Amino acid sequence: MSAEPRAGAVGVPTEGELLELAERVAGWARDGEQVEAYVARGRDTEIQVYSGEVESLSSAESAGIGIRVVANGRQGFAYAGSLDLDVVEETLAEARDNAGFASADEWVGLAVPDGTVAADLDVWSDELAGVPTADKVALALELERAVRAGDARIRQVESAEWGDSAYESAIVTNTGIRASSRRTVCYVSAEAVAGQGGETQTGSGYSVGRGPGDLDLVKAAADAVERSTRLLGATKPRSGHLTVVFEPRITATLLALIAGTLDGEAVLKGRSLFADRLGQPVAAASLTLVDDPTDPGAYGATPYDAEGLATRRNALIEDGTLKAFLYNTYSARRAGTKSTASAVRAGFKSGPGTGARALSVIPGTSSPAEILAAVGDGLLVQSVSGLHSGVNPVSGDFSVGAEGMLIERGALGRPVRELTIASTLQRMLQDIVAIGNDPERLPSSATGVTLAVGDLSMSGA
Amino acid sequence: MIDEAVIERVLGTALRTGGDFAEVFAEDRRSSAARLDDGRVEDMVSGRERGAGIRVVVGETTGFAHTSDLSERGLSEAAEAAGAAARGATGGVREVALRRVPAPAPNEVDVLPESVGKATKVALLGRADEAARGVGGAVRQVSAVYGDSRRRILVANSDGVLASDDQVKTRFMISVVASGDTGMQTGRESVGHTVGFEMFDRYQVEDLAAEAAGRALAKLRARPAPSGSLPVVIKRGSGGILFHEACGHGLEADHVAKDVSVFAGRVGEQVASPLVTLIDDGTMGPEWGSYAIDDEGHPAARNVLIQDGVLTEYMWDWLRSRKEGRAGTGNGRRETYQHLPMVRMTNTYLANGTDDPDEIIRQTPKGVYVAQLGGGQVNTATGDFVFGMTEAYLIEDGELTEPLRDANLIGNGPQALRDIDAVGDDFAMGGPGTCGKQGQGVPVGTGQPTLRVKAMTVGGTAR
């Protein structure tokens, strides 16, 4: 042990102090032991307004640490929602103890620096910290008013919201990793309720950015209004097979599902649909899918992955051919390859898994209107439900609830609801018939784009 | 966890800006989990979280702040922040005198998780792995998770309420991948109860493993699910999720108050088939969604929501019931001290009917039999809901025939409730669930006897 821990509160740490604490913990590694400390701090504000009044206002800071210990090929993990030194010390002891109960595994181990230089990313807004609470409240109220005023059929706004978050983290290991990063995000969102007679429909709109200057209230309000009102009169369609056009926000969700099946660990463990398909055509030739967390415009942009390796651009599918899987340190070692710096974690409470952060497809050349015209008859999907229950990433079965508009003679027709669309992930990739020229940045691990997929089953009446 | 005199002073501080109501919610949570995958115990994880959330209500506005510092200084700072967030008029001193709310624990806990060695917990995983792989050569992959948590909470508010609870939960989950000519398929089984390690006296992990493996193997022969409207028979147990989605969320008072529920303003009306009696019960012994007090300090209760098809009651949290001047129902819950409480379900179930479950199948010429459900989702404003089937069979001429691949079903809540035309006499609770609402997950239970919905849309691909 290089330094004796001392009991006492750390107070509100700065980014440098997070790094210092992580270094200290990594320094407590014993001989023959690898120790990783991931220290994170978040500051969040959430304001909900309803009927012209603030319904709730919550503003808080939270911090915590996750510690991983590897000894004799065994890994243990422990976390605590506190940075008090006595708690941190206890957490390390727990992680160490936990390691004794895991199975030995020759591939287990912490990341070591691989020479890739971290991207210089500007994903932090100093301006955000200076926005007075009253201004945030005013923006949420303005959004609510704008939605209400957007159409006479808007009955109410279920909630209009401002949210912001500043997240700082540091990760240090005694294997040479030393990384810290910080990012801010803010958003406004509204859920509109439209009504006509006894009927009710809902639609949401939002705008997201690094700082308040990035937010587009007008667009958020217009989206919520259009999406709720255009569904009025929606009926359940007849069952059949047809071409489905996904709006950018739904495409983003689909891309994230696809990327989930390209996890190198799932491949090693016999859980990936695409395990034996590397180098083979798995999608329409028009599809190129890339994960690039160094793209500063992406919501998930970050200079380092969750093990402290510099992030990089990974092409997963090129011209329809499967090019690569995503790896963290463990799965890469086991597969005999290099980490793609795709370690992710759900805050300080979990160890590193694998995942995409900033997916995008190379846009096509057609506008959404041109795609509708080319499709002729089909379905435009504006929302889906039941993703957890209806998409099986191992078998590939895909079945989700959907709402949207029928496409009739190349243009938007009548609204439909209470239907499902179904296929398999494998077939949907092959059945892509058009990719739009309209990339849209979203609060998601993927950039959206209009996407048309042929031959899905639509189940209704 | 915190001295009573300190809480009284902190509530006083919280009210200094003129609040109508203030509350301290303190939580100390320890958890441990162990995960086996690919034949190896990958890791054992333990976690500790401790802190308090302070809420101040002024008129229609709620201010909230939280802290991981349970000292009087930390709590007072959070109280000031919450008071400032609620923006009341300044001035006014109110004294708070606390009185303890007695609340019986839903059941005894015999073996606290911390009294059981980690090696004993880990040993369950290996047994499950071996049993699942023993079911057949087509079993290619097994993962299993053991988890326990102990959550001690203390709630005090300016109405004088002081209550505490010690909530112990244990769960076990196994997931199997089988591989055959038609690709890979999955099977799952999980159990979870508000008990300690004695749960494993009641369940053998080998049995759970065999269930999960059997599901995956059966699905290797599965054909695509039908596409379109069909009668659906749902096996007892996990089908309770149907009610959770079809009407449970729509009966939560916050959705009702904002008029974003298809069930708003309908108390006293026939909203379901007369065969439907629906209950939400947080006092149900060792079930996954049970507790002694909710996260606003009020005892859990058994609430009949629908009696013989007639809507009798919504579920309430304290804030909304207080505003309405009515009694609460013990449904105010939050994920952690970092969250505001809201109306949530506990254990929601359909009461027994009188039909013979086998007869329900026999009297269904063509339809789908759902033996295990995954999760679901609902839009309370329109009532449209989905839920996924993870084990299902075709019914042909009153008999179960071929297994079906996974798919979602979609329906509309009020219509589905009216369309229930048979309810069995074989009630059972289903597996443990996590209900998500506005970003917060809480443990919930569901249950039902075997039942039939005369028409639902099955979202398969069969032509």
Side-chain angles (χ1 to χ4, degrees), chain A residues 190-222:
Chain A
E191 180 82 13
V193 181
Q196 204 162 40
E199 188 197 354
T200 300
Q201 297 295 342
T202 59
S204 65
Y206 50 81
S207 179
V208 181
R210 299 279 167 213
D214 300 336
L215 299 181
D216 186 346
L217 247 68
V218 173
K219 181 176 183 300

PDB file of all heavy atoms in Angstrom, chain A residues 190-222:
ATOM      1  N   ALA A 190     -41.597  17.904 -24.346  1.00  0.00           N
ATOM      2  CA  ALA A 190     -43.018  18.064 -24.035  1.00  0.00           C
ATOM      3  C   ALA A 190     -43.787  16.874 -24.577  1.00  0.00           C
ATOM      4  O   ALA A 190     -43.474  16.340 -25.639  1.00  0.00           O
ATOM      5  CB  ALA A 190     -43.568  19.344 -24.660  1.00  0.00           C
ATOM      6  N   GLU A 191     -44.790  16.461 -23.821  1.00  0.00           N
ATOM      7  CA  GLU A 191     -45.683  15.391 -24.247  1.00  0.00           C
ATOM      8  C   GLU A 191     -47.052  16.037 -24.437  1.00  0.00           C
ATOM      9  O   GLU A 191     -47.682  16.491 -23.480  1.00  0.00           O
ATOM     10  CB  GLU A 191     -45.724  14.310 -23.156  1.00  0.00           C
ATOM     11  CG  GLU A 191     -46.618  13.124 -23.459  1.00  0.00           C
ATOM     12  CD  GLU A 191     -45.954  12.076 -24.365  1.00  0.00           C
ATOM     13  OE1 GLU A 191     -44.734  12.147 -24.552  1.00  0.00           O
ATOM     14  OE2 GLU A 191     -46.688  11.221 -24.879  1.00  0.00           O
ATOM     15  N   ALA A 192     -47.486  16.098 -25.689  1.00  0.00           N
ATOM     16  CA  ALA A 192     -48.754  16.768 -25.995  1.00  0.00           C
ATOM     17  C   ALA A 192     -49.894  15.760 -26.015  1.00  0.00           C
ATOM     18  O   ALA A 192     -49.717  14.619 -26.432  1.00  0.00           O
ATOM     19  CB  ALA A 192     -48.670  17.457 -27.352  1.00  0.00           C
ATOM     20  N   VAL A 193     -51.056  16.211 -25.560  1.00  0.00           N
ATOM     21  CA  VAL A 193     -52.253  15.385 -25.595  1.00  0.00           C
ATOM     22  C   VAL A 193     -53.262  16.089 -26.505  1.00  0.00           C
ATOM     23  O   VAL A 193     -53.716  17.191 -26.193  1.00  0.00           O
ATOM     24  CB  VAL A 193     -52.856  15.207 -24.185  1.00  0.00           C
ATOM     25  CG1 VAL A 193     -54.096  14.326 -24.251  1.00  0.00           C
ATOM     26  CG2 VAL A 193     -51.826  14.610 -23.234  1.00  0.00           C
ATOM     27  N   ALA A 194     -53.584  15.457 -27.622  1.00  0.00           N
ATOM     28  CA  ALA A 194     -54.544  16.040 -28.559  1.00  0.00           C
ATOM     29  C   ALA A 194     -55.858  15.289 -28.430  1.00  0.00           C
ATOM     30  O   ALA A 194     -55.869  14.095 -28.162  1.00  0.00           O
ATOM     31  CB  ALA A 194     -54.019  15.941 -29.987  1.00  0.00           C
ATOM     32  N   GLY A 195     -56.945  15.989 -28.607  1.00  0.00           N
ATOM     33  CA  GLY A 195     -58.235  15.331 -28.474  1.00  0.00           C
ATOM     34  C   GLY A 195     -59.236  15.844 -29.486  1.00  0.00           C
ATOM     35  O   GLY A 195     -59.142  16.973 -29.978  1.00  0.00           O
ATOM     36  N   GLN A 196     -60.188  14.958 -29.790  1.00  0.00           N
ATOM     37  CA  GLN A 196     -61.269  15.329 -30.692  1.00  0.00           C
ATOM     38  C   GLN A 196     -62.428  14.411 -30.312  1.00  0.00           C
ATOM     39  O   GLN A 196     -62.259  13.188 -30.344  1.00  0.00           O
ATOM     40  CB  GLN A 196     -60.836  15.064 -32.135  1.00  0.00           C
ATOM     41  CG  GLN A 196     -61.557  15.895 -33.153  1.00  0.00           C
ATOM     42  CD  GLN A 196     -60.785  15.907 -34.470  1.00  0.00           C
ATOM     43  OE1 GLN A 196     -60.236  14.887 -34.885  1.00  0.00           O
ATOM     44  NE2 GLN A 196     -60.732  17.049 -35.120  1.00  0.00           N
ATOM     45  N   GLY A 197     -63.532  14.985 -29.853  1.00  0.00           N
ATOM     46  CA  GLY A 197     -64.623  14.153 -29.356  1.00  0.00           C
ATOM     47  C   GLY A 197     -64.132  13.315 -28.197  1.00  0.00           C
ATOM     48  O   GLY A 197     -63.447  13.810 -27.305  1.00  0.00           O
ATOM     49  N   GLY A 198     -64.420  12.029 -28.221  1.00  0.00           N
ATOM     50  CA  GLY A 198     -63.992  11.163 -27.131  1.00  0.00           C
ATOM     51  C   GLY A 198     -62.593  10.591 -27.325  1.00  0.00           C
ATOM     52  O   GLY A 198     -62.135   9.780 -26.535  1.00  0.00           O
ATOM     53  N   GLU A 199     -61.914  11.022 -28.382  1.00  0.00           N
ATOM     54  CA  GLU A 199     -60.640  10.409 -28.716  1.00  0.00           C
ATOM     55  C   GLU A 199     -59.453  11.221 -28.200  1.00  0.00           C
ATOM     56  O   GLU A 199     -59.490  12.444 -28.179  1.00  0.00           O
ATOM     57  CB  GLU A 199     -60.559  10.311 -30.244  1.00  0.00           C
ATOM     58  CG  GLU A 199     -59.373   9.521 -30.716  1.00  0.00           C
ATOM     59  CD  GLU A 199     -59.077   9.774 -32.186  1.00  0.00           C
ATOM     60  OE1 GLU A 199     -59.856  10.475 -32.852  1.00  0.00           O
ATOM     61  OE2 GLU A 199     -58.032   9.274 -32.644  1.00  0.00           O
ATOM     62  N   THR A 200     -58.410  10.515 -27.816  1.00  0.00           N
ATOM     63  CA  THR A 200     -57.196  11.158 -27.341  1.00  0.00           C
ATOM     64  C   THR A 200     -55.986  10.548 -28.038  1.00  0.00           C
ATOM     65  O   THR A 200     -55.933   9.341 -28.217  1.00  0.00           O
ATOM     66  CB  THR A 200     -57.046  10.925 -25.816  1.00  0.00           C
ATOM     67  OG1 THR A 200     -58.167  11.468 -25.157  1.00  0.00           O
ATOM     68  CG2 THR A 200     -55.794  11.579 -25.285  1.00  0.00           C
ATOM     69  N   GLN A 201     -55.040  11.378 -28.429  1.00  0.00           N
ATOM     70  CA  GLN A 201     -53.772  10.873 -28.959  1.00  0.00           C
ATOM     71  C   GLN A 201     -52.635  11.666 -28.332  1.00  0.00           C
ATOM     72  O   GLN A 201     -52.823  12.815 -27.920  1.00  0.00           O
ATOM     73  CB  GLN A 201     -53.713  11.004 -30.495  1.00  0.00           C
ATOM     74  CG  GLN A 201     -54.758  10.193 -31.238  1.00  0.00           C
ATOM     75  CD  GLN A 201     -54.602   8.681 -31.073  1.00  0.00           C
ATOM     76  OE1 GLN A 201     -53.537   8.175 -30.686  1.00  0.00           O
ATOM     77  NE2 GLN A 201     -55.665   7.944 -31.355  1.00  0.00           N
ATOM     78  N   THR A 202     -51.463  11.056 -28.262  1.00  0.00           N
ATOM     79  CA  THR A 202     -50.324  11.748 -27.660  1.00  0.00           C
ATOM     80  C   THR A 202     -49.153  11.791 -28.634  1.00  0.00           C
ATOM     81  O   THR A 202     -49.044  10.961 -29.532  1.00  0.00           O
ATOM     82  CB  THR A 202     -49.839  11.041 -26.375  1.00  0.00           C
ATOM     83  OG1 THR A 202     -49.459   9.710 -26.698  1.00  0.00           O
ATOM     84  CG2 THR A 202     -50.932  11.009 -25.327  1.00  0.00           C
ATOM     85  N   GLY A 203     -48.296  12.768 -28.438  1.00  0.00           N
ATOM     86  CA  GLY A 203     -47.086  12.872 -29.257  1.00  0.00           C
ATOM     87  C   GLY A 203     -46.054  13.687 -28.506  1.00  0.00           C
ATOM     88  O   GLY A 203     -46.399  14.596 -27.754  1.00  0.00           O
ATOM     89  N   SER A 204     -44.783  13.354 -28.702  1.00  0.00           N
ATOM     90  CA  SER A 204     -43.753  14.063 -27.956  1.00  0.00           C
ATOM     91  C   SER A 204     -42.850  14.852 -28.889  1.00  0.00           C
ATOM     92  O   SER A 204     -42.714  14.540 -30.072  1.00  0.00           O
ATOM     93  CB  SER A 204     -42.918  13.077 -27.143  1.00  0.00           C
ATOM     94  OG  SER A 204     -42.212  12.213 -27.999  1.00  0.00           O
ATOM     95  N   GLY A 205     -42.248  15.882 -28.326  1.00  0.00           N
ATOM     96  CA  GLY A 205     -41.256  16.666 -29.055  1.00  0.00           C
ATOM     97  C   GLY A 205     -40.150  17.040 -28.085  1.00  0.00           C
ATOM     98  O   GLY A 205     -40.401  17.188 -26.892  1.00  0.00           O
ATOM     99  N   TYR A 206     -38.926  17.147 -28.603  1.00  0.00           N
ATOM    100  CA  TYR A 206     -37.833  17.508 -27.713  1.00  0.00           C
ATOM    101  C   TYR A 206     -36.717  18.159 -28.499  1.00  0.00           C
ATOM    102  O   TYR A 206     -36.679  18.104 -29.729  1.00  0.00           O
ATOM    103  CB  TYR A 206     -37.295  16.290 -26.953  1.00  0.00           C
ATOM    104  CG  TYR A 206     -36.972  15.108 -27.846  1.00  0.00           C
ATOM    105  CD1 TYR A 206     -35.772  15.056 -28.542  1.00  0.00           C
ATOM    106  CD2 TYR A 206     -37.880  14.065 -28.004  1.00  0.00           C
ATOM    107  CE1 TYR A 206     -35.471  13.993 -29.375  1.00  0.00           C
ATOM    108  CE2 TYR A 206     -37.590  12.991 -28.834  1.00  0.00           C
ATOM    109  CZ  TYR A 206     -36.387  12.952 -29.516  1.00  0.00           C
ATOM    110  OH  TYR A 206     -36.102  11.904 -30.343  1.00  0.00           O
ATOM    111  N   SER A 207     -35.814  18.771 -27.770  1.00  0.00           N
ATOM    112  CA  SER A 207     -34.611  19.317 -28.374  1.00  0.00           C
ATOM    113  C   SER A 207     -33.487  19.142 -27.374  1.00  0.00           C
ATOM    114  O   SER A 207     -33.679  19.341 -26.169  1.00  0.00           O
ATOM    115  CB  SER A 207     -34.820  20.797 -28.717  1.00  0.00           C
ATOM    116  OG  SER A 207     -33.635  21.329 -29.276  1.00  0.00           O
ATOM    117  N   VAL A 208     -32.317  18.739 -27.863  1.00  0.00           N
ATOM    118  CA  VAL A 208     -31.202  18.389 -26.988  1.00  0.00           C
ATOM    119  C   VAL A 208     -29.947  19.111 -27.444  1.00  0.00           C
ATOM    120  O   VAL A 208     -29.762  19.346 -28.635  1.00  0.00           O
ATOM    121  CB  VAL A 208     -30.935  16.863 -27.068  1.00  0.00           C
ATOM    122  CG1 VAL A 208     -29.794  16.450 -26.157  1.00  0.00           C
ATOM    123  CG2 VAL A 208     -32.188  16.091 -26.712  1.00  0.00           C
ATOM    124  N   GLY A 209     -29.106  19.480 -26.494  1.00  0.00           N
ATOM    125  CA  GLY A 209     -27.829  20.098 -26.868  1.00  0.00           C
ATOM    126  C   GLY A 209     -26.832  20.033 -25.733  1.00  0.00           C
ATOM    127  O   GLY A 209     -27.133  19.511 -24.659  1.00  0.00           O
ATOM    128  N   ARG A 210     -25.642  20.552 -25.979  1.00  0.00           N
ATOM    129  CA  ARG A 210     -24.620  20.629 -24.919  1.00  0.00           C
ATOM    130  C   ARG A 210     -24.910  21.789 -23.986  1.00  0.00           C
ATOM    131  O   ARG A 210     -24.619  21.746 -22.807  1.00  0.00           O
ATOM    132  CB  ARG A 210     -23.245  20.839 -25.531  1.00  0.00           C
ATOM    133  CG  ARG A 210     -22.795  19.756 -26.448  1.00  0.00           C
ATOM    134  CD  ARG A 210     -22.241  18.568 -25.684  1.00  0.00           C
ATOM    135  NE  ARG A 210     -22.110  17.436 -26.581  1.00  0.00           N
ATOM    136  CZ  ARG A 210     -22.271  16.170 -26.224  1.00  0.00           C
ATOM    137  NH1 ARG A 210     -22.550  15.865 -24.966  1.00  0.00           N
ATOM    138  NH2 ARG A 210     -22.152  15.213 -27.093  1.00  0.00           N
ATOM    139  N   GLY A 211     -25.445  22.861 -24.572  1.00  0.00           N
ATOM    140  CA  GLY A 211     -25.724  24.055 -23.800  1.00  0.00           C
ATOM    141  C   GLY A 211     -27.025  24.667 -24.275  1.00  0.00           C
ATOM    142  O   GLY A 211     -27.590  24.240 -25.295  1.00  0.00           O
ATOM    143  N   PRO A 212     -27.523  25.678 -23.542  1.00  0.00           N
ATOM    144  CA  PRO A 212     -28.843  26.237 -23.844  1.00  0.00           C
ATOM    145  C   PRO A 212     -28.951  26.813 -25.251  1.00  0.00           C
ATOM    146  O   PRO A 212     -30.032  26.797 -25.851  1.00  0.00           O
ATOM    147  CB  PRO A 212     -29.031  27.330 -22.780  1.00  0.00           C
ATOM    148  CG  PRO A 212     -27.701  27.545 -22.169  1.00  0.00           C
ATOM    149  CD  PRO A 212     -26.898  26.305 -22.369  1.00  0.00           C
ATOM    150  N   GLY A 213     -27.822  27.292 -25.819  1.00  0.00           N
ATOM    151  CA  GLY A 213     -27.848  27.885 -27.154  1.00  0.00           C
ATOM    152  C   GLY A 213     -28.195  26.868 -28.245  1.00  0.00           C
ATOM    153  O   GLY A 213     -28.601  27.235 -29.343  1.00  0.00           O
ATOM    154  N   ASP A 214     -28.031  25.574 -27.941  1.00  0.00           N
ATOM    155  CA  ASP A 214     -28.300  24.544 -28.953  1.00  0.00           C
ATOM    156  C   ASP A 214     -29.781  24.184 -29.050  1.00  0.00           C
ATOM    157  O   ASP A 214     -30.180  23.458 -29.953  1.00  0.00           O
ATOM    158  CB  ASP A 214     -27.551  23.246 -28.601  1.00  0.00           C
ATOM    159  CG  ASP A 214     -26.049  23.432 -28.533  1.00  0.00           C
ATOM    160  OD1 ASP A 214     -25.564  24.374 -29.179  1.00  0.00           O
ATOM    161  OD2 ASP A 214     -25.379  22.654 -27.829  1.00  0.00           O
ATOM    162  N   LEU A 215     -30.576  24.637 -28.071  1.00  0.00           N
ATOM    163  CA  LEU A 215     -31.962  24.156 -28.009  1.00  0.00           C
ATOM    164  C   LEU A 215     -32.878  24.900 -28.977  1.00  0.00           C
ATOM    165  O   LEU A 215     -32.758  26.103 -29.156  1.00  0.00           O
ATOM    166  CB  LEU A 215     -32.501  24.292 -26.586  1.00  0.00           C
ATOM    167  CG  LEU A 215     -31.728  23.490 -25.528  1.00  0.00           C
ATOM    168  CD1 LEU A 215     -32.361  23.670 -24.157  1.00  0.00           C
ATOM    169  CD2 LEU A 215     -31.661  22.013 -25.906  1.00  0.00           C
ATOM    170  N   ASP A 216     -33.787  24.158 -29.587  1.00  0.00           N
ATOM    171  CA  ASP A 216     -34.732  24.699 -30.551  1.00  0.00           C
ATOM    172  C   ASP A 216     -36.159  24.454 -30.046  1.00  0.00           C
ATOM    173  O   ASP A 216     -36.753  23.410 -30.305  1.00  0.00           O
ATOM    174  CB  ASP A 216     -34.493  24.017 -31.908  1.00  0.00           C
ATOM    175  CG  ASP A 216     -35.347  24.626 -33.012  1.00  0.00           C
ATOM    176  OD1 ASP A 216     -36.303  25.370 -32.692  1.00  0.00           O
ATOM    177  OD2 ASP A 216     -35.059  24.345 -34.189  1.00  0.00           O
ATOM    178  N   LEU A 217     -36.664  25.413 -29.270  1.00  0.00           N
ATOM    179  CA  LEU A 217     -37.991  25.272 -28.671  1.00  0.00           C
ATOM    180  C   LEU A 217     -39.092  25.178 -29.713  1.00  0.00           C
ATOM    181  O   LEU A 217     -40.071  24.454 -29.546  1.00  0.00           O
ATOM    182  CB  LEU A 217     -38.269  26.481 -27.768  1.00  0.00           C
ATOM    183  CG  LEU A 217     -38.373  26.198 -26.278  1.00  0.00           C
ATOM    184  CD1 LEU A 217     -37.028  25.779 -25.743  1.00  0.00           C
ATOM    185  CD2 LEU A 217     -38.908  27.389 -25.530  1.00  0.00           C
ATOM    186  N   VAL A 218     -38.921  25.949 -30.785  1.00  0.00           N
ATOM    187  CA  VAL A 218     -39.961  25.992 -31.817  1.00  0.00           C
ATOM    188  C   VAL A 218     -40.146  24.621 -32.442  1.00  0.00           C
ATOM    189  O   VAL A 218     -41.266  24.123 -32.597  1.00  0.00           O
ATOM    190  CB  VAL A 218     -39.595  27.043 -32.899  1.00  0.00           C
ATOM    191  CG1 VAL A 218     -40.565  26.986 -34.061  1.00  0.00           C
ATOM    192  CG2 VAL A 218     -39.587  28.438 -32.268  1.00  0.00           C
ATOM    193  N   LYS A 219     -39.019  23.961 -32.732  1.00  0.00           N
ATOM    194  CA  LYS A 219     -39.092  22.644 -33.346  1.00  0.00           C
ATOM    195  C   LYS A 219     -39.672  21.622 -32.359  1.00  0.00           C
ATOM    196  O   LYS A 219     -40.493  20.772 -32.730  1.00  0.00           O
ATOM    197  CB  LYS A 219     -37.704  22.197 -33.802  1.00  0.00           C
ATOM    198  CG  LYS A 219     -37.714  20.837 -34.468  1.00  0.00           C
ATOM    199  CD  LYS A 219     -36.334  20.454 -35.004  1.00  0.00           C
ATOM    200  CE  LYS A 219     -36.372  19.120 -35.750  1.00  0.00           C
ATOM    201  NZ  LYS A 219     -36.811  17.990 -34.940  1.00  0.00           N
ATOM    202  N   ALA A 220     -39.255  21.692 -31.085  1.00  0.00           N
ATOM    203  CA  ALA A 220     -39.757  20.743 -30.080  1.00  0.00           C
ATOM    204  C   ALA A 220     -41.275  20.861 -29.973  1.00  0.00           C
ATOM    205  O   ALA A 220     -41.995  19.859 -29.946  1.00  0.00           O
ATOM    206  CB  ALA A 220     -39.096  21.009 -28.730  1.00  0.00           C
ATOM    207  N   ALA A 221     -41.753  22.103 -29.932  1.00  0.00           N
ATOM    208  CA  ALA A 221     -43.205  22.308 -29.797  1.00  0.00           C
ATOM    209  C   ALA A 221     -43.932  21.826 -31.054  1.00  0.00           C
ATOM    210  O   ALA A 221     -44.951  21.132 -30.971  1.00  0.00           O
ATOM    211  CB  ALA A 221     -43.495  23.800 -29.559  1.00  0.00           C
ATOM    212  N   ALA A 222     -43.378  22.158 -32.221  1.00  0.00           N
ATOM    213  CA  ALA A 222     -44.035  21.779 -33.472  1.00  0.00           C
ATOM    214  C   ALA A 222     -44.103  20.261 -33.622  1.00  0.00           C
ATOM    215  O   ALA A 222     -45.117  19.711 -34.071  1.00  0.00           O
ATOM    216  CB  ALA A 222     -43.282  22.400 -34.653  1.00  0.00           C
TER     217      ALA A 222
END
